[in-house]
Amino acid sequence: MAAITWGLEDGIAVMVLDVPKAPVNTLGRAVKDELIAAFASLEHNPSVRALVFLSGKQDNFIAGADIEEFVRLSNAAESERLSAEGQEMLDRVAAFPRPVVVGIHGACLGGGFELALAAHYRVATDHPKTQIGLPEVQLGILPGAGGCQRLPRLVGLRAALDMILAGKTERSQKAFRLGMVDELVPPSILRRVAIDAARRMADGWRPRRKRPGGFVGFLLEGNPLGRALVARTAQRQLAERTHGNYPAPFAALDAVMYGLRHGMREGLKHEARLFGQLAVTDVSRKLVQIFFATNQLKKDYGIPDPPRPIEVKRLGVVGSGFMGSGIAGTAVAQAIVDVRMRDTDLARVAAGLRTAREVLDDRLKRRRISRYEHARLIALLSGGSGYAGFRRAELVIEAVFEDLKTKQQVLQEVEQVTHDRTVFASNTSTIPISQIAQAGRRPERVIGMHFFSPVARMPLLEVIPGAATDPEVITTAVAFGRRMGKTVIVVQDSPGFWVNRILGPYINEAALIVLEGVAIDAIDSLMVQWGFPVGPLTLVDEVGIDVADKASGVLHAAFGERFAPAPGLATMLKSGRLGRKAGKGFYRYVQGKKKGVDTSVYEELGAHPNGGPRAAEILQRLVYVMLNEAVRAAAEGVVHTPRDGDMGAIFGFGFPPFRGGPLRHADDLGAERLVGELERLAERHGNRFAPSDALREMAARHAKFYP
Ligand code: 3H9
């Protein structure tokens, strides 16, 4: 079956791309060949006055080049060829002797947008599904089909770098404002408007585009000196953002600047060369694996033969503190459900509703929703000091104080006011779900949904079935988590679940290293260089030292000495040093802003920041202690697959994506090497480093997590 079909409508060739049996259009080799052949045959067709290019998919224009093809590329020369062929195809579009107009509805990304850029006029729908951009650097590559050349020429250097270097995708309204598309229309008239534009262009009309970047753009970008300044600034910002761990944005910057200096032809060649080098890097391979793992997780319910989830239309949230209101606000914003909050007194409920509303205000501010949508969503939020409004809820999430008795009592109250099929989810981070469920009449309807703070921003959700949980309850929790925009992993009901279990030893080790005389910010900055978004001590300040202490107590009780909390943390707690929320932790915070290390903490801990172990040793201790625990927990079945474990760490606390996750990183280091190094660390620093049995066994069998 052909992917491309076309028909002639009154002198306008209307070409439609619809890759058979594929959920989205991609530009794989076969499609490219068809496209080249179609353009070649129309070039010489005298009846064709102009061409309109559309997608036949319902909500997708083109998702880009076929990423599956990259995985099969084995060397830089082959990858360079792929890029050069993509460029040739789009040159054909650009050089088509009659006007080419694209009508864009749905995702128009990567190679898809590069095709649109090669066309002569772009009409896009104003629908939220229409997302336009060049996300390539997020896959560790660069726009390799002319995107690094054509976008800066269309929208100006600064706007193009802003898109390309961050791998940004914009909604069509913003894309229109930036000049990435020429016209914005409702979906129902896209085809007609595109054909009209093609007809007008065939009659000689040409769009008049404003100078990209305006007057300042002209001053800054219209001469080599100005451009060099823009490039230097971009380079500096990239170095700050990536710490040199991600080569793709630097290469993309190089491709853009080279093209502006040496012209389009040479620019394209350089772009293809750099694409070739990037596509076979380990970083790109890891990022592509994450892309596919994310897609697999979207369909995986964590159980065999998953039953249909219950469709949640009404959500009850018990507890209107920071977590409860974050859950409520995010549920309204993302899943667009009716949310009823409940807390013990009305003042708390009012505060919770205000915080929940902030999630919506933020979306309005960032123009993610319109004023009208904002008002409509706010109307979905309500609350009270009783359980009124809970009767018809399909799902109730509790986010009350982290205490078994309190949670059990809430479960009993909720059971009294809801129907038999209502799912009760606990947002506990430490308490076993089966213990909470014991107190209820319907333990099979109880499950854990462990969100991370702040809920609106943190992308992971751990779903934890208890011993008696019904499969339908699992699928309902997973499906609702996805509707809330989360990446969901289903994990075992075991202390700390997955994320806190592997995070615990890492944070604890960081605190021990402070006691050995290393400066707090030195430890954090080392781990940021290694690829984490924030260091361990900043992270614990964010989470709350009281919260971390509670989790650490649970892990210590469950797993013994290797989780023994670092001495000194209890002292910090006693003096009210709870982290960011208290204005002081390892760092000081003034009006919510981090203001450097709170040096008085050293005194409180009895530490002297005057040396301590070397950087390489610190790094090894922090990373290896986490990997050891991750391997142990994975072997216990805390996660179903290594993929879940790695995605949990990447999305849960920002394990460096370019390292692929802790289990993939353990594979890269090799179990034998890990065992050897951990034994050495155990000799010097204590038994907490002793390699787990699981790791020893892997080493003996030369086994890996991934094939
Ligand atoms: C590029 O273009 C390079 C060029 O510059 C130069 C080349 C020379 N390839 O996410 P979904 C699959 S790089 C292969 O669930 P949604 C996806 O795996 C590319 N497969 O749908 C899934 O498969 P399955 C730059 C792809 O509606 C299915 O389609 N482009 C591709 O939630 C459905 O996907 C990107 O990085 C692809 N390009 O979201 C965009 N895209 O059903 C990547 C999708 O077997 N894609 N699939 O699991 C996306 O961001 C989202 O898929 C999209 C749709 C927003 C398009």
Side-chain angles (χ1 to χ4, degrees):
M1 269 159 75
I4 291 177
T5 48
W6 67 272
L8 207 54
E9 293 183 25
D10 202 10
I12 309 296
V14 180
M15 190 183 279
V16 176
L17 174 67
D18 191 349
V19 179
K21 298 196 189 120
V24 297
N25 281 330
T26 54
L27 300 173
R29 181 166 293 282
V31 175
K32 266 190 249 167
D33 289 346
E34 262 193 66
L35 201 84
I36 290 173
F39 270 81
S41 80
L42 291 175
E43 255 171 35
H44 305 293
N45 187 332
S47 327
V48 173
R49 300 177 59 231
L51 190 151
V52 167
F53 185 95
L54 300 165
S55 159
K57 300 280 178 221
Q58 186 166 8
D59 281 324
N60 172 263
F61 179 67
I62 300 173
D66 184 355
I67 300 170
E68 306 253 9
E69 277 182 6
F70 301 163
V71 185
R72 294 195 286 271
L73 294 171
S74 58
N75 59 58
E78 212 184 312
S79 317
E80 182 176 340
R81 214 159 35 245
L82 183 99
S83 168
E85 283 166 10
Q87 294 175 348
E88 277 161 34
M89 169 183 78
L90 297 188
D91 278 350
R92 208 150 198 148
V93 174
F96 192 71
R98 264 63 51 82
V100 179
V101 175
V102 287
I104 303 167
H105 173 68
C108 170
L109 303 174
F113 182 44
E114 289 174 301
L115 184 146
L117 284 169
H120 310 127
Y121 195 71
R122 289 157 287 276
V123 186
T125 68
D126 56 5
H127 195 274
K129 292 244 171 182
T130 300
Q131 304 271 345
I132 304 176
L134 295 171
E136 282 87 342
V137 296
Q138 301 207 20
L139 297 171
I141 50 172
L142 52 67
C148 293
Q149 313 307 317
R150 292 197 174 93
L151 188 60
R153 285 169 175 79
L154 181 69
V155 301
L157 178 60
R158 282 167 311 152
L161 289 180
D162 191 41
M163 295 286 304
I164 295 173
L165 304 189
K168 266 194 202 166
T169 295
E170 299 289 3
R171 284 176 73 162
S172 54
Q173 284 82 354
K174 174 93 184 273
F176 175 64
R177 277 202 301 278
L178 289 172
M180 289 157 61
V181 295
D182 297 296
E183 218 174 319
L184 220 49
V185 296
S188 57
I189 58 168
L190 175 68
R191 183 188 167 94
R192 208 188 67 219
V193 171
I195 292 178
D196 279 353
R199 194 166 289 133
R200 269 181 291 141
M201 288 180 85
D203 291 339
W205 172 81
R206 291 290 175 266
R208 286 170 52 137
R209 300 189 176 106
K210 277 195 271 177
R211 190 189 357 244
F215 183 61
V216 179
F218 171 72
L219 288 182
L220 213 52
E221 300 173 14
N223 63 82
L225 269 180
R227 286 200 292 270
L229 183 70
V230 173
R232 264 205 308 280
T233 310
Q235 178 97 20
R236 200 189 58 239
Q237 287 168 346
L238 278 183
E240 278 166 16
R241 208 175 71 212
T242 65
H243 304 285
N245 291 323
Y246 294 88
F250 291 95
L253 176 61
D254 183 4
V256 169
M257 299 315 296
Y258 193 92
L260 291 178
R261 227 177 9 254
H262 300 283
M264 182 88 173
R265 274 296 114 220
E266 289 305 309
L268 285 170
K269 272 195 218 153
H270 195 59
E271 178 181 299
R273 212 162 29 239
L274 293 169
F275 179 93
Q277 290 163 11
L278 289 173
V280 289
T281 54
D282 186 54
V283 172
S284 174
R285 292 272 140 95
K286 295 272 168 37
L287 297 177
V288 167
Q289 279 154 359
I290 293 173
F291 170 75
F292 286 119
T294 311
N295 279 328
Q296 286 167 6
L297 268 180
K298 283 188 204 163
K299 288 180 242 156
D300 188 348
Y301 286 93
I303 45 170
D305 304 320
R308 255 177 101 84
I310 300 171
E311 192 194 340
V312 176
K313 296 192 190 114
R314 285 168 214 85
L315 172 73
V317 176
V318 186
S320 60
F322 193 60
M323 282 309 277
S325 49
I327 293 169
T330 311
V332 168
Q334 289 284 137
I336 317 190
V337 286
D338 238 310
V339 176
R340 183 79 187 168
M341 284 175 95
R342 190 258 167 192
D343 211 319
T344 43
D345 68 71
L346 282 175
R348 276 174 201 248
V349 177
L353 287 171
R354 264 198 309 277
T355 313
R357 201 190 137 133
E358 282 169 14
V359 178
L360 304 173
D361 295 347
D362 181 58
R363 296 207 172 191
L364 177 67
K365 206 168 91 195
R366 288 188 293 121
R367 301 205 207 186
R368 289 278 164 209
I369 51 174
S370 65
R371 282 206 167 278
Y372 168 75
E373 282 168 310
H374 180 251
R376 187 170 74 96
L377 293 176
I378 283 180
L380 294 175
L381 269 172
S382 66
S385 55
Y387 284 100
F390 273 60
R391 199 171 54 82
R392 290 193 301 150
E394 292 88 2
L395 172 65
V396 173
I397 304 177
E398 72 74 18
V400 299
F401 185 62
E402 191 75 351
D403 169 70
L404 177 63
K405 286 264 161 309
T406 315
K407 289 192 187 281
Q408 287 181 329
Q409 191 189 332
V410 169
L411 168 63
Q412 288 163 351
E413 288 170 7
V414 168
E415 280 185 336
Q416 301 226 330
V417 295
T418 52
H419 56 78
D420 285 355
R421 269 187 91 197
T422 300
V423 171
F424 179 90
S426 170
N427 175 52
T428 178
S429 54
T430 50
I431 304 174
I433 301 305
S434 297
Q435 275 184 28
I436 301 174
Q438 269 166 16
R441 278 188 288 128
R442 304 189 289 265
E444 69 284 0
R445 306 309 287 177
V446 178
I447 195 160
M449 286 176 83
H450 179 210
F451 291 91
F452 294 79
S453 179
V455 180
R457 287 219 318 271
M458 294 301 286
L460 187 74
L461 169 68
E462 288 182 312
V463 165
I464 311 109
T469 307
D470 198 299
E472 178 191 64
V473 171
I474 302 176
T475 53
T476 302
V478 171
F480 192 70
R482 281 191 199 132
R483 278 177 66 196
M484 284 178 71
K486 305 298 170 203
T487 294
V488 186
I489 58 171
V490 177
V491 302
Q492 202 181 62
D493 189 9
S494 114
F497 312 133
W498 170 253
V499 167
N500 284 343
R501 167 87 177 264
I502 66 174
L503 207 49
Y506 166 73
I507 288 181
N508 211 29
E509 197 60 30
L512 287 169
I513 293 171
V514 175
L515 295 176
E516 288 172 34
V518 182
I520 289 165
D521 44 354
I523 298 173
D524 274 352
S525 121
L526 207 57
M527 296 321 286
V528 170
Q529 295 285 337
W530 199 71
F532 279 99
V534 295
L537 301 161
T538 299
L539 181 66
V540 73
D541 265 7
E542 294 292 332
V543 170
I545 295 179
D546 51 339
V547 175
D549 177 65
K550 198 151 193 142
S552 142
V554 169
L555 290 165
H556 188 196
F559 300 113
E561 273 317 286
R562 69 177 191 275
F563 277 93
L569 285 182
T571 328
M572 285 178 75
L573 277 183
K574 266 195 219 113
S575 66
R577 213 178 259 286
L578 306 185
R580 175 189 283 278
K581 63 187 167 200
K584 58 175 185 173
F586 286 99
Y587 293 84
R588 280 181 311 116
Y589 302 85
V590 178
Q591 289 173 342
K593 288 227 169 2
K594 193 169 158 197
K595 292 283 176 197
V597 172
D598 185 347
T599 44
S600 63
V601 78
Y602 292 118
E603 204 176 313
E604 217 166 275
L605 289 171
H608 307 281
N610 51 10
R614 284 174 305 115
E617 162 117 9
I618 297 171
L619 198 69
Q620 195 183 45
R621 281 170 62 178
L622 290 174
V623 174
Y624 281 36
V625 81
M626 178 191 278
L627 297 191
N628 196 20
E629 198 57 35
V631 173
R632 191 184 333 247
E636 286 169 21
V638 174
V639 282
H640 295 306
T641 61
R643 175 206 66 194
D644 290 6
D646 282 336
M647 298 297 278
I650 291 169
F651 288 105
F653 57 91
F655 191 95
F658 74 97
R659 299 187 192 274
L663 301 176
R664 228 180 245 285
H665 190 53
D667 270 2
D668 283 349
L669 293 171
E672 285 145 286
R673 171 170 165 199
L674 268 172
V675 166
E677 296 290 329
L678 281 164
E679 276 172 347
R680 195 187 61 80
L681 288 170
E683 250 170 50
R684 294 181 61 178
H685 301 287
N687 234 358
R688 64 184 183 282
F689 283 102
S692 66
D693 291 346
L695 190 62
R696 284 186 191 284
E697 204 193 305
M698 283 182 76
R701 287 189 292 117
H702 305 293
K704 282 183 175 290
F705 286 103
Y706 293 91

